[in-house]
Coordinates of all heavy atoms in Angstrom, one line a residue:
M1389 N -112.6 -127.2 -24.6 CA -111.5 -127.9 -25.3 C -112.0 -129.2 -25.8 O -111.6 -129.6 -26.9 CB -110.4 -128.0 -24.2 CG -109.2 -128.7 -24.8 SD -108.3 -127.7 -25.9 CE -106.7 -127.7 -25.2
A1390 N -112.7 -130.0 -25.0 CA -113.2 -131.3 -25.5 C -114.1 -131.2 -26.6 O -114.1 -132.0 -27.6 CB -113.8 -132.0 -24.3
R1391 N -115.0 -130.2 -26.6 CA -115.9 -130.0 -27.7 C -115.2 -129.6 -29.0 O -115.6 -130.1 -30.1 CB -116.9 -128.9 -27.4 CG -118.0 -129.4 -26.5 CD -119.2 -128.4 -26.5 NE -120.1 -128.9 -25.6 CZ -121.3 -128.3 -25.3 NH1 -121.6 -127.2 -25.9 NH2 -122.1 -128.8 -24.5
E1392 N -114.2 -128.8 -28.9 CA -113.4 -128.4 -30.1 C -112.7 -129.6 -30.7 O -112.7 -129.8 -31.9 CB -112.4 -127.3 -29.7 CG -112.9 -126.0 -29.4 CD -111.9 -125.0 -28.9 OE1 -110.7 -125.3 -28.9 OE2 -112.3 -123.9 -28.4
R1393 N -112.2 -130.5 -29.8 CA -111.5 -131.7 -30.3 C -112.5 -132.6 -30.9 O -112.2 -133.2 -32.0 CB -110.8 -132.4 -29.1 CG -109.7 -133.3 -29.6 CD -108.8 -133.6 -28.4 NE -109.0 -135.0 -28.2 CZ -108.8 -135.6 -27.0 NH1 -108.3 -135.0 -26.0 NH2 -109.0 -136.9 -26.9
E1394 N -113.7 -132.7 -30.3 CA -114.7 -133.6 -30.9 C -115.2 -133.1 -32.2 O -115.4 -133.9 -33.2 CB -115.9 -133.6 -29.9 CG -116.9 -134.6 -30.3 CD -118.0 -134.7 -29.2 OE1 -117.7 -135.0 -28.0 OE2 -119.2 -134.5 -29.6
A1395 N -115.3 -131.8 -32.3 CA -115.7 -131.2 -33.6 C -114.7 -131.4 -34.7 O -115.0 -131.7 -35.8 CB -116.0 -129.7 -33.4
A1396 N -113.4 -131.3 -34.3 CA -112.3 -131.5 -35.3 C -112.3 -132.9 -35.7 O -112.1 -133.2 -36.9 CB -111.0 -131.1 -34.6
L1397 N -112.5 -133.9 -34.8 CA -112.5 -135.3 -35.2 C -113.7 -135.6 -36.1 O -113.6 -136.4 -37.1 CB -112.6 -136.2 -33.9 CG -111.3 -136.3 -33.2 CD1 -111.5 -137.1 -31.8 CD2 -110.3 -137.0 -34.0
A1398 N -114.9 -135.0 -35.8 CA -116.0 -135.2 -36.6 C -115.8 -134.7 -38.0 O -116.2 -135.3 -39.0 CB -117.3 -134.6 -36.0
S1399 N -115.2 -133.6 -38.1 CA -114.8 -133.0 -39.4 C -113.9 -133.8 -40.2 O -114.0 -134.1 -41.4 CB -114.3 -131.6 -39.2 OG -113.9 -131.0 -40.4
Q1400 N -112.9 -134.4 -39.5 CA -111.9 -135.2 -40.2 C -112.6 -136.5 -40.7 O -112.3 -137.0 -41.7 CB -110.8 -135.6 -39.2 CG -109.8 -134.4 -38.9 CD -108.8 -134.8 -37.8 OE1 -109.0 -135.7 -37.1 NE2 -107.8 -134.0 -37.8
F1401 N -113.4 -137.1 -39.8 CA -114.2 -138.3 -40.2 C -115.0 -138.0 -41.4 O -115.0 -138.8 -42.4 CB -115.0 -138.8 -39.0 CG -115.9 -139.9 -39.4 CD1 -115.4 -141.2 -39.5 CD2 -117.3 -139.8 -39.6 CE1 -116.1 -142.3 -39.9 CE2 -118.1 -140.9 -40.0 CZ -117.5 -142.1 -40.1
D1402 N -115.8 -136.9 -41.4 CA -116.6 -136.6 -42.6 C -115.8 -136.4 -43.8 O -116.2 -136.9 -44.9 CB -117.4 -135.3 -42.3 CG -118.4 -135.0 -43.3 OD1 -119.3 -135.8 -43.6 OD2 -118.3 -133.9 -44.0
T1403 N -114.7 -135.7 -43.7 CA -113.8 -135.5 -44.9 C -113.3 -136.9 -45.4 O -113.3 -137.1 -46.6 CB -112.6 -134.6 -44.5 OG1 -113.1 -133.4 -44.1 CG2 -111.6 -134.4 -45.7
A1404 N -112.8 -137.7 -44.5 CA -112.3 -139.0 -44.9 C -113.4 -139.9 -45.6 O -113.2 -140.5 -46.6 CB -111.7 -139.8 -43.7
L1405 N -114.6 -139.9 -44.9 CA -115.7 -140.7 -45.4 C -116.1 -140.3 -46.8 O -116.4 -141.1 -47.6 CB -116.9 -140.5 -44.4 CG -118.2 -141.2 -44.7 CD1 -117.9 -142.7 -44.6 CD2 -119.3 -140.8 -43.8
N1406 N -116.2 -139.0 -47.0 CA -116.7 -138.5 -48.3 C -115.7 -138.3 -49.4 O -116.0 -137.9 -50.5 CB -117.6 -137.2 -48.1 CG -118.9 -137.6 -47.4 OD1 -119.6 -138.4 -47.9 ND2 -119.1 -137.0 -46.2
N1407 N -114.4 -138.6 -49.1 CA -113.4 -138.5 -50.1 C -112.8 -139.9 -50.4 O -111.9 -140.0 -51.2 CB -112.3 -137.6 -49.7 CG -112.7 -136.1 -49.8 OD1 -113.1 -135.7 -50.9 ND2 -112.8 -135.4 -48.7
M1408 N -113.3 -140.9 -49.8 CA -112.8 -142.3 -50.1 C -113.4 -142.7 -51.4 O -114.5 -142.3 -51.8 CB -113.1 -143.3 -49.0 CG -114.6 -143.5 -48.7 SD -115.1 -144.6 -47.4 CE -113.7 -145.2 -46.6
P1409 N -112.7 -143.5 -52.2 CA -113.2 -143.9 -53.5 C -114.2 -145.0 -53.5 O -114.9 -145.3 -54.5 CB -111.9 -144.4 -54.2 CG -111.0 -144.9 -53.1 CD -111.3 -144.0 -51.9
H1410 N -114.4 -145.6 -52.3 CA -115.4 -146.7 -52.2 C -116.7 -146.2 -51.5 O -116.6 -145.3 -50.7 CB -114.8 -147.8 -51.3 CG -113.5 -148.3 -51.9 ND1 -113.4 -149.1 -53.0 CD2 -112.2 -148.2 -51.4 CE1 -112.1 -149.4 -53.3 NE2 -111.4 -148.8 -52.3
G1411 N -117.7 -146.9 -51.8 CA -119.0 -146.6 -51.2 C -119.1 -147.3 -49.8 O -118.6 -148.4 -49.6
L1412 N -119.6 -146.6 -48.8 CA -119.8 -147.2 -47.5 C -121.2 -146.9 -47.0 O -121.6 -145.7 -47.0 CB -118.7 -146.5 -46.6 CG -118.8 -147.0 -45.1 CD1 -118.4 -148.4 -45.0 CD2 -117.9 -146.1 -44.2
C1413 N -121.8 -147.9 -46.4 CA -123.1 -147.8 -45.8 C -123.1 -148.7 -44.6 O -122.8 -149.9 -44.7 CB -124.2 -148.2 -46.8 SG -125.8 -148.0 -46.2
M1414 N -123.4 -148.1 -43.4 CA -123.4 -148.9 -42.2 C -124.7 -148.6 -41.4 O -125.2 -147.5 -41.5 CB -122.2 -148.5 -41.3 CG -120.8 -148.8 -41.9 SD -119.4 -148.1 -41.0 CE -119.7 -148.7 -39.4
F1415 N -125.1 -149.7 -40.7 CA -126.4 -149.6 -40.0 C -126.1 -149.7 -38.5 O -125.2 -150.4 -38.1 CB -127.4 -150.6 -40.5 CG -127.7 -150.4 -41.9 CD1 -127.1 -151.2 -42.9 CD2 -128.7 -149.5 -42.3 CE1 -127.4 -151.0 -44.2 CE2 -129.0 -149.3 -43.6 CZ -128.4 -150.1 -44.6
R1416 N -127.0 -149.1 -37.7 CA -126.9 -149.3 -36.2 C -127.5 -150.6 -35.9 O -128.1 -151.3 -36.7 CB -127.7 -148.2 -35.5 CG -127.2 -146.8 -35.8 CD -127.9 -145.7 -35.1 NE -129.4 -145.9 -35.0 CZ -130.3 -145.0 -34.9 NH1 -129.9 -143.7 -34.8 NH2 -131.6 -145.3 -34.9
A1417 N -127.4 -151.0 -34.6 CA -127.9 -152.3 -34.2 C -129.5 -152.4 -34.4 O -130.0 -153.5 -34.6 CB -127.6 -152.5 -32.7
D1418 N -130.1 -151.3 -34.4 CA -131.6 -151.3 -34.6 C -132.0 -151.3 -36.0 O -133.2 -151.3 -36.4 CB -132.3 -150.1 -33.9 CG -131.9 -148.8 -34.4 OD1 -131.1 -148.7 -35.4 OD2 -132.4 -147.7 -33.9
G1419 N -131.0 -151.4 -36.9 CA -131.3 -151.5 -38.4 C -131.5 -150.1 -39.1 O -131.8 -150.1 -40.3
R1420 N -131.3 -149.0 -38.4 CA -131.4 -147.7 -39.0 C -130.0 -147.3 -39.5 O -129.0 -147.7 -39.0 CB -131.9 -146.7 -37.9 CG -133.2 -146.9 -37.3 CD -134.3 -147.1 -38.2 NE -134.9 -145.9 -38.5 CZ -136.0 -145.8 -39.4 NH1 -136.5 -146.9 -39.9 NH2 -136.5 -144.6 -39.7
L1421 N -130.0 -146.4 -40.5 CA -128.8 -145.9 -41.1 C -127.9 -145.2 -40.1 O -128.4 -144.4 -39.3 CB -129.1 -145.0 -42.2 CG -128.0 -144.4 -43.0 CD1 -127.3 -145.6 -43.7 CD2 -128.5 -143.4 -44.0
A1422 N -126.7 -145.6 -40.0 CA -125.7 -144.9 -39.1 C -124.8 -144.0 -40.0 O -124.7 -142.8 -39.6 CB -124.8 -146.0 -38.4
V1423 N -124.3 -144.5 -41.1 CA -123.4 -143.8 -41.9 C -123.6 -144.2 -43.4 O -123.7 -145.4 -43.7 CB -121.9 -144.0 -41.5 CG1 -120.9 -143.4 -42.5 CG2 -121.6 -143.6 -40.1
M1424 N -123.6 -143.2 -44.3 CA -123.6 -143.5 -45.7 C -122.8 -142.4 -46.3 O -123.0 -141.2 -46.1 CB -124.9 -143.5 -46.3 CG -124.9 -143.8 -47.8 SD -126.5 -143.6 -48.6 CE -127.5 -144.8 -47.8
N1425 N -121.8 -142.7 -47.2 CA -121.0 -141.7 -47.8 C -121.6 -141.3 -49.2 O -122.5 -142.1 -49.7 CB -119.5 -142.0 -47.9 CG -119.2 -143.1 -48.8 OD1 -120.1 -143.8 -49.4 ND2 -117.9 -143.4 -49.0
H1426 N -121.2 -140.2 -49.7 CA -121.7 -139.8 -51.0 C -121.5 -140.8 -52.1 O -122.3 -141.0 -53.0 CB -121.1 -138.4 -51.4 CG -121.5 -137.3 -50.5 ND1 -122.8 -136.9 -50.3 CD2 -120.8 -136.5 -49.7 CE1 -122.8 -135.9 -49.4 NE2 -121.6 -135.7 -49.0
R1427 N -120.3 -141.4 -52.1 CA -120.0 -142.4 -53.1 C -121.0 -143.5 -53.1 O -121.4 -144.0 -54.2 CB -118.5 -142.9 -52.9 CG -118.1 -143.9 -53.9 CD -117.9 -143.2 -55.3 NE -117.5 -144.2 -56.2 CZ -118.1 -144.3 -57.4 NH1 -119.0 -143.5 -57.8 NH2 -117.7 -145.2 -58.2
F1428 N -121.4 -144.0 -52.0 CA -122.4 -145.1 -51.9 C -123.7 -144.7 -52.5 O -124.3 -145.4 -53.4 CB -122.6 -145.6 -50.5 CG -123.5 -146.8 -50.4 CD1 -123.0 -148.1 -50.5 CD2 -124.9 -146.6 -50.2 CE1 -123.9 -149.2 -50.5 CE2 -125.7 -147.7 -50.2 CZ -125.2 -149.0 -50.3
S1429 N -124.2 -143.5 -52.1 CA -125.5 -143.0 -52.7 C -125.4 -142.8 -54.2 O -126.3 -143.1 -54.9 CB -126.0 -141.8 -51.9 OG -125.1 -140.7 -52.1
E1430 N -124.2 -142.3 -54.7 CA -124.0 -142.2 -56.1 C -124.0 -143.5 -56.8 O -124.7 -143.7 -57.9 CB -122.7 -141.5 -56.4 CG -122.7 -140.0 -56.1 CD -121.3 -139.4 -56.2 OE1 -120.3 -140.1 -56.6 OE2 -121.2 -138.2 -56.0
M1431 N -123.3 -144.5 -56.3 CA -123.2 -145.8 -56.9 C -124.5 -146.5 -57.0 O -124.8 -147.2 -57.9 CB -122.2 -146.7 -56.1 CG -120.8 -146.3 -56.2 SD -119.7 -147.1 -55.0 CE -120.1 -148.8 -55.2
M1432 N -125.3 -146.3 -56.0 CA -126.6 -147.0 -55.9 C -127.8 -146.1 -56.4 O -128.9 -146.6 -56.3 CB -126.9 -147.4 -54.4 CG -125.9 -148.4 -53.9 SD -126.0 -149.9 -54.8 CE -124.3 -150.4 -54.8
N1433 N -127.5 -144.9 -56.9 CA -128.5 -144.0 -57.4 C -129.6 -143.7 -56.4 O -130.8 -143.8 -56.7 CB -129.2 -144.6 -58.7 CG -128.2 -144.7 -59.8 OD1 -127.4 -143.8 -60.0 ND2 -128.2 -145.9 -60.4
L1434 N -129.2 -143.5 -55.1 CA -130.2 -143.2 -54.0 C -130.4 -141.7 -53.8 O -129.5 -140.9 -54.1 CB -129.6 -143.8 -52.7 CG -129.5 -145.3 -52.7 CD1 -128.8 -145.8 -51.5 CD2 -130.8 -146.0 -52.9
S1435 N -131.6 -141.4 -53.3 CA -131.9 -140.0 -53.1 C -131.3 -139.6 -51.7 O -131.1 -140.4 -50.8 CB -133.4 -139.8 -53.0 OG -134.0 -140.4 -51.9
D1436 N -131.0 -138.3 -51.6 CA -130.5 -137.8 -50.3 C -131.5 -137.9 -49.2 O -131.2 -137.9 -48.0 CB -130.1 -136.3 -50.5 CG -128.9 -136.1 -51.4 OD1 -128.1 -137.0 -51.5 OD2 -128.8 -135.0 -52.0
D1437 N -132.8 -138.0 -49.6 CA -133.8 -138.2 -48.6 C -133.6 -139.4 -47.6 O -133.8 -139.3 -46.4 CB -135.2 -138.3 -49.3 CG -136.3 -138.7 -48.3 OD1 -136.6 -137.8 -47.4 OD2 -136.9 -139.7 -48.4
L1438 N -133.1 -140.5 -48.2 CA -132.8 -141.6 -47.4 C -131.8 -141.4 -46.3 O -131.9 -141.8 -45.2 CB -132.4 -142.8 -48.2 CG -133.4 -143.4 -49.2 CD1 -132.8 -144.4 -50.2 CD2 -134.5 -144.0 -48.4
V1439 N -130.8 -140.6 -46.6 CA -129.7 -140.3 -45.7 C -130.3 -139.3 -44.6 O -130.1 -139.5 -43.4 CB -128.5 -139.6 -46.4 CG1 -127.5 -139.2 -45.4 CG2 -127.9 -140.6 -47.4
Q1440 N -131.0 -138.3 -45.0 CA -131.5 -137.3 -44.1 C -132.5 -137.8 -43.1 O -132.5 -137.3 -42.0 CB -132.1 -136.1 -44.9 CG -131.1 -135.4 -45.7 CD -131.7 -134.4 -46.7 OE1 -132.9 -134.4 -47.0 NE2 -130.9 -133.6 -47.3
R1441 N -133.2 -138.8 -43.4 CA -134.2 -139.3 -42.5 C -133.8 -140.6 -41.7 O -134.6 -141.3 -41.1 CB -135.6 -139.5 -43.1 CG -135.6 -140.6 -44.2 CD -137.0 -140.6 -44.9 NE -137.0 -141.5 -46.0 CZ -137.3 -142.8 -46.0 NH1 -137.6 -143.3 -44.8 NH2 -137.3 -143.5 -47.1
R1442 N -132.5 -140.9 -41.9 CA -131.9 -142.1 -41.2 C -132.8 -143.3 -41.5 O -133.3 -144.0 -40.6 CB -131.9 -141.9 -39.7 CG -131.0 -140.8 -39.2 CD -129.6 -141.3 -39.2 NE -128.7 -140.3 -38.7 CZ -127.4 -140.3 -39.0 NH1 -126.9 -141.2 -39.7 NH2 -126.6 -139.3 -38.5
A1443 N -132.9 -143.6 -42.8 CA -133.7 -144.7 -43.3 C -133.3 -146.0 -42.7 O -132.2 -146.2 -42.2 CB -133.6 -144.8 -44.8
S1444 N -134.2 -147.0 -42.7 CA -133.9 -148.4 -42.3 C -133.1 -149.1 -43.4 O -133.1 -148.7 -44.5 CB -135.2 -149.1 -41.9 OG -135.9 -149.4 -43.1
A1445 N -132.6 -150.2 -43.0 CA -131.9 -151.1 -44.0 C -132.9 -151.5 -45.1 O -132.5 -151.5 -46.2 CB -131.3 -152.3 -43.3
H1446 N -134.1 -151.8 -44.7 CA -135.1 -152.2 -45.7 C -135.4 -151.1 -46.7 O -135.5 -151.3 -47.9 CB -136.4 -152.6 -44.9 CG -136.3 -153.9 -44.2 ND1 -135.9 -154.0 -42.9 CD2 -136.6 -155.2 -44.6 CE1 -135.9 -155.2 -42.5 NE2 -136.3 -156.0 -43.5
D1447 N -135.4 -149.8 -46.2 CA -135.7 -148.7 -47.1 C -134.5 -148.5 -48.0 O -134.7 -148.2 -49.2 CB -135.8 -147.4 -46.3 CG -137.1 -147.4 -45.4 OD1 -138.1 -148.1 -45.8 OD2 -137.2 -146.6 -44.5
I1448 N -133.3 -148.6 -47.5 CA -132.1 -148.5 -48.4 C -132.0 -149.5 -49.4 O -131.8 -149.3 -50.6 CB -130.8 -148.5 -47.5 CG1 -130.8 -147.4 -46.5 CG2 -129.5 -148.5 -48.4 CD1 -130.5 -146.0 -47.0
I1449 N -132.3 -150.8 -49.0 CA -132.2 -151.9 -50.0 C -133.4 -151.7 -51.0 O -133.2 -151.9 -52.2 CB -132.3 -153.3 -49.3 CG1 -131.1 -153.4 -48.4 CG2 -132.5 -154.4 -50.3 CD1 -129.8 -153.4 -49.1
A1450 N -134.6 -151.3 -50.6 CA -135.7 -151.1 -51.5 C -135.3 -150.0 -52.5 O -135.6 -150.1 -53.7 CB -136.9 -150.8 -50.7
G1451 N -134.6 -149.0 -52.0 CA -134.2 -147.9 -52.9 C -133.2 -148.4 -53.9 O -133.3 -148.0 -55.1
C1452 N -132.3 -149.2 -53.5 CA -131.3 -149.8 -54.4 C -132.0 -150.7 -55.5 O -131.6 -150.6 -56.7 CB -130.3 -150.6 -53.7 SG -129.2 -149.7 -52.6
I1453 N -133.0 -151.5 -55.1 CA -133.7 -152.3 -56.0 C -134.5 -151.5 -57.0 O -134.5 -151.7 -58.2 CB -134.6 -153.3 -55.3 CG1 -133.7 -154.3 -54.5 CG2 -135.5 -154.0 -56.2 CD1 -134.5 -155.2 -53.5
S1454 N -135.2 -150.4 -56.5 CA -136.0 -149.6 -57.3 C -135.1 -148.8 -58.3 O -135.6 -148.6 -59.5 CB -136.8 -148.5 -56.5 OG -137.7 -149.2 -55.7
A1455 N -133.9 -148.5 -57.9 CA -133.0 -147.7 -58.8 C -132.4 -148.7 -59.8 O -131.7 -148.2 -60.7 CB -132.0 -147.0 -58.0
G1456 N -132.5 -150.0 -59.6 CA -131.9 -150.9 -60.5 C -130.5 -151.2 -60.2 O -129.7 -151.8 -61.0
S1457 N -130.0 -150.8 -59.1 CA -128.6 -150.9 -58.7 C -128.3 -152.3 -58.2 O -127.1 -152.8 -58.4 CB -128.3 -149.9 -57.6 OG -128.5 -148.6 -58.0
I1458 N -129.3 -153.0 -57.6 CA -129.1 -154.4 -57.2 C -130.4 -155.1 -57.6 O -131.4 -154.5 -57.8 CB -128.8 -154.6 -55.7 CG1 -129.9 -154.0 -54.9 CG2 -127.5 -153.9 -55.4 CD1 -129.8 -154.4 -53.4
S1459 N -130.3 -156.4 -57.7 CA -131.5 -157.2 -58.0 C -132.3 -157.5 -56.7 O -131.7 -157.4 -55.6 CB -131.0 -158.6 -58.6 OG -130.4 -159.4 -57.7
A1460 N -133.5 -157.9 -56.8 CA -134.3 -158.3 -55.7 C -133.7 -159.4 -54.9 O -133.7 -159.4 -53.7 CB -135.8 -158.6 -56.1
P1461 N -133.3 -160.5 -55.6 CA -132.6 -161.6 -54.8 C -131.4 -161.1 -54.1 O -131.2 -161.6 -52.9 CB -132.2 -162.6 -55.9 CG -133.2 -162.4 -57.0 CD -133.4 -160.9 -57.0
S1462 N -130.6 -160.3 -54.6 CA -129.4 -159.7 -53.9 C -129.9 -158.9 -52.7 O -129.3 -159.0 -51.6 CB -128.6 -158.8 -54.8 OG -127.9 -159.6 -55.8
G1463 N -130.9 -158.1 -52.9 CA -131.5 -157.4 -51.8 C -131.9 -158.2 -50.6 O -131.7 -157.9 -49.5
K1464 N -132.6 -159.3 -51.0 CA -133.0 -160.3 -49.9 C -131.9 -160.9 -49.2 O -131.9 -161.0 -48.0 CB -133.9 -161.4 -50.5 CG -135.3 -161.1 -50.9 CD -136.0 -162.3 -51.3 CE -137.5 -162.0 -51.5 NZ -138.3 -163.1 -51.8
M1465 N -130.8 -161.2 -49.9 CA -129.6 -161.8 -49.3 C -128.9 -160.8 -48.4 O -128.5 -161.1 -47.3 CB -128.6 -162.2 -50.4 CG -127.5 -163.0 -49.9 SD -126.5 -163.8 -51.2 CE -126.0 -162.3 -52.2
I1466 N -128.9 -159.5 -48.8 CA -128.2 -158.5 -48.0 C -129.1 -158.3 -46.7 O -128.5 -158.2 -45.6 CB -128.1 -157.2 -48.7 CG1 -127.1 -157.4 -49.9 CG2 -127.7 -156.0 -47.8 CD1 -127.2 -156.2 -50.9
L1467 N -130.4 -158.2 -46.8 CA -131.2 -158.0 -45.6 C -131.1 -159.2 -44.7 O -131.1 -159.0 -43.5 CB -132.7 -157.8 -46.1 CG -133.0 -156.4 -46.7 CD1 -134.4 -156.3 -47.2 CD2 -132.7 -155.3 -45.6
A1468 N -131.0 -160.4 -45.2 CA -130.9 -161.6 -44.4 C -129.6 -161.5 -43.6 O -129.6 -161.9 -42.4 CB -131.0 -162.9 -45.2
E1469 N -128.5 -161.1 -44.2 CA -127.3 -161.0 -43.5 C -127.3 -159.9 -42.5 O -126.8 -160.1 -41.4 CB -126.1 -160.6 -44.5 CG -124.8 -160.6 -43.9 CD -124.3 -161.9 -43.3 OE1 -124.7 -162.9 -43.8 OE2 -123.6 -161.8 -42.3
I1470 N -128.0 -158.8 -42.7 CA -128.1 -157.7 -41.7 C -128.9 -158.3 -40.5 O -128.6 -158.1 -39.4 CB -128.8 -156.5 -42.3 CG1 -127.8 -155.8 -43.3 CG2 -129.2 -155.5 -41.3 CD1 -128.5 -154.7 -44.2
E1471 N -130.0 -159.0 -40.8 CA -130.9 -159.5 -39.8 C -130.1 -160.6 -38.9 O -130.2 -160.6 -37.7 CB -132.2 -160.1 -40.3 CG -133.1 -159.0 -40.8 CD -134.2 -159.5 -41.7 OE1 -134.4 -160.7 -41.9 OE2 -135.0 -158.6 -42.2
H1472 N -129.3 -161.4 -39.6 CA -128.5 -162.4 -38.9 C -127.5 -161.7 -38.0 O -127.3 -162.1 -36.9 CB -127.8 -163.2 -40.0 CG -126.8 -164.2 -39.4 ND1 -127.2 -165.3 -38.7 CD2 -125.5 -164.2 -39.3 CE1 -126.2 -166.0 -38.3 NE2 -125.1 -165.3 -38.6
T1473 N -126.9 -160.6 -38.5 CA -125.9 -159.8 -37.6 C -126.6 -159.2 -36.4 O -126.1 -159.3 -35.3 CB -125.3 -158.8 -38.5 OG1 -124.6 -159.4 -39.6 CG2 -124.3 -158.0 -37.7
Q1474 N -127.8 -158.7 -36.7 CA -128.6 -158.1 -35.6 C -128.9 -159.1 -34.5 O -128.9 -158.8 -33.3 CB -129.9 -157.4 -36.1 CG -129.7 -156.2 -36.8 CD -131.0 -155.6 -37.5 OE1 -131.8 -156.4 -37.9 NE2 -131.1 -154.3 -37.5
A1475 N -129.3 -160.3 -34.9 CA -129.6 -161.4 -34.0 C -128.5 -161.8 -33.1 O -128.7 -162.2 -32.0 CB -130.2 -162.6 -34.8
R1476 N -127.3 -161.6 -33.6 CA -126.1 -162.0 -32.8 C -125.7 -160.9 -31.8 O -124.9 -161.2 -30.9 CB -124.9 -162.2 -33.7 CG -125.0 -163.4 -34.6 CD -123.8 -163.7 -35.4 NE -123.2 -162.5 -35.9 CZ -122.3 -162.5 -36.9 NH1 -121.9 -163.6 -37.4 NH2 -121.9 -161.3 -37.4
I1477 N -126.2 -159.7 -31.9 CA -125.9 -158.6 -31.0 C -126.7 -158.7 -29.7 O -127.8 -159.1 -29.6 CB -126.1 -157.3 -31.7 CG1 -125.1 -157.2 -32.9 CG2 -125.9 -156.1 -30.7 CD1 -125.3 -155.9 -33.7

């Protein structure tokens, strides 16, 4: 019963995540990818490989810069904010 409920919640979360109009990318405390929806990867022109291998924040930002989705200075600023957040945990 608990597994069925957990599977149903996971399915609902996946549906909500991938049908929202906004891009979402979240990282775990160790800096590895926790969640990324399809909209984010489309907006940033990222490959599915980054999602499948649970890439690091550095890899995701490097991919965004390489794709021309963000500038290198913006990437540095984002990584600094991620590192600042990690330091507080």
